[in-house]
Amino acid sequence: MTRRHDLDALRVIAFALLILYHVAMLYVAEWDWHLKSPYLAEWLQWPMLAMNRWRMALLFLISGLAVGLCRPERAPGGFAWGRTRRVLLPLLFGMAAIVPVQAYCQGVSNGLVEPGFGAFLWRYLQISTWPEGAFDGWEAGITWNHLWYLAYLWVYCLLLALLLPLLGSSRGRRWQAWVGGLRGWRLWLPALPLVLYMLVLLPRFEASNDLTSDWFQHAQFFTVFLLGYAMARADGLWAELLRQRYRLLALAVALTAIYVPALLLIDFESEPLLIAARTVRGLLVWTVLLAILAWAKALLDRPFRWLPYATEAVLPWYMLHQSLTVLLAYWLLPLALGPVLEPLLVLGGTVAGCLLLHEYLIRRNRWLRPLFGLKPLPARDDEAAVLRATA
């Protein structure tokens, strides 16, 4: 597999932004979340909305790029099994051992779950029934909350494994060559299906993260996942992105400057305005994704010393962060610490908790590593093996 340092670094940065985004969900006014602080800020809607429209599409695009670089067509069965082991197993473990913390804190805060985490966990693991609105996902009795990305990624990887014969056919190779041959204004042609999804699917299928009926998000995310797969080894396309990076950045900023104020300040009751806004949104998503890839290639394609460690830490931190954020908020909100100290403690505690649990518990333990999607240790001496692997 070809090592693309820019994609590794971009993945780290994207997940770091996700942690910041979820902490900010505590404080953004008028947006529902598991818990909400009394210190709400309307101004947070501006940066949060700007990031919201492309943040998850970026993660699925990076995932598709990573899959394309590892050449799954060489061993489709091995690829499917490897992704099951590295994605599905952490998802199931996270649903059983990490996400329940969020459900418990939310349920107790809502007054619909009795205090006592042990009793709650025992009932939760039995996939029991809960009072209506007890926590996000109460209807199913068990939830994956922020780990929905892993569920979607696993399904997309299996679908890709099934599609590999088609992608390897003459028609499939022509499509991949077409993607790799995008130049100039044609760079925006993949935005057309995204615009179509915004116009046709978005009005009918709101984002739900429930896998079985989330057709708008599936269409968008699986499309960018497949595009990432096709773009991964297209050297000419990457050279074109580098050449166009200033134009891409300018257009991304311009579209954001049009879309975000319009959505927050204009009443979109008329159909023509809604169509215009959704069209701009589709163009915005693809333009921002291209701009991010172009500037990551320009600035991040080098072997930073921190990158191997951070690359390994991404999945454990992702799995842990939101439960830590919700737990810290559950403890801190009743203390009324103020609009500065409280968010600093929530953010700092989330980062510190991820760091300490990953460094001193997860990465050094051969039994926990696979549960967090990490490769097995290469030697019996756990700590020495970790040091050798990341030196």
Side-chain angles (χ1 to χ4, degrees), residues 3-17 58-59 62 65-66 69 292-293 295-312 314:
R3 195 85 245 175
R4 284 284 301 273
H5 302 296
D6 56 321
L7 298 181
D8 288 340
L10 184 57
R11 183 168 174 259
V12 171
I13 293 169
F15 277 101
L17 287 174
L58 175 62
L59 293 181
I62 295 171
L65 289 163
L69 290 174
I292 290 173
L293 292 182
W295 283 97
K297 180 66 174 173
L299 301 176
L300 301 176
D301 197 9
R302 62 197 69 182
F304 298 102
R305 291 189 63 182
W306 52 266
L307 194 51
Y309 182 91
T311 299
E312 183 194 57
V314 161

Side-chain angles (χ1 to χ4, degrees), residues 117-256:
F117 182 69
F120 169 84
L121 184 61
W122 175 250
R123 180 179 171 185
Y124 173 89
L125 292 177
Q126 297 177 62
I127 314 181
S128 181
T129 57
W130 297 95
E132 182 176 351
F135 54 83
D136 290 7
W138 66 271
E139 303 92 335
I142 192 170
T143 180
W144 49 45
N145 276 1
H146 69 292
L147 299 184
W148 66 269
Y149 162 75
L150 296 181
Y152 284 42
L153 179 60
W154 177 65
V155 170
Y156 295 169
C157 287
L158 295 189
L159 287 174
L160 178 67
L162 294 175
L163 289 173
L164 285 173
L166 176 61
L167 291 170
S169 67
S170 59
R171 182 174 298 180
R173 289 195 300 270
R174 284 198 301 271
W175 174 76
Q176 293 185 68
W178 177 83
V179 173
L182 294 173
R183 302 290 187 271
W185 64 269
R186 291 186 298 150
L187 285 171
W188 280 268
L189 289 178
L192 296 180
L194 302 184
V195 171
L196 182 64
Y197 305 151
M198 303 292 174
L199 298 176
V200 177
L201 296 179
L202 179 58
R204 294 168 174 80
F205 303 99
E206 293 186 5
S208 62
N209 302 341
D210 69 355
L211 188 64
T212 58
S213 61
D214 203 8
W215 297 113
F216 164 68
Q217 291 206 125
H218 282 316
Q220 179 181 209
F221 296 151
F222 191 54
T223 295
V224 297
F225 178 80
L226 286 178
L227 287 168
Y229 172 82
M231 293 167 65
R233 300 189 300 272
D235 293 339
L237 176 59
W238 288 98
E240 177 68 2
L241 291 179
L242 277 175
R243 189 178 71 84
Q244 297 270 11
R245 64 186 183 276
Y246 289 101
R247 179 180 297 177
L248 289 166
L249 178 60
L251 287 172
V253 171
L255 287 169
T256 303

Side-chain angles (χ1 to χ4, degrees), residues 68-115:
L69 290 174
C70 75
R71 294 181 178 270
E73 64 274 9
R74 294 175 175 174
F79 165 73
W81 168 243
R83 294 293 159 160
T84 297
R85 182 169 47 86
R86 298 283 299 277
V87 177
L88 181 61
L89 179 59
L91 170 64
L92 297 177
F93 173 74
M95 291 174 65
I98 298 173
V99 169
V101 172
Q102 302 174 51
Y104 171 76
C105 292
Q106 185 179 4
V108 174
S109 297
N110 290 341
L112 297 172
V113 169
E114 291 293 325

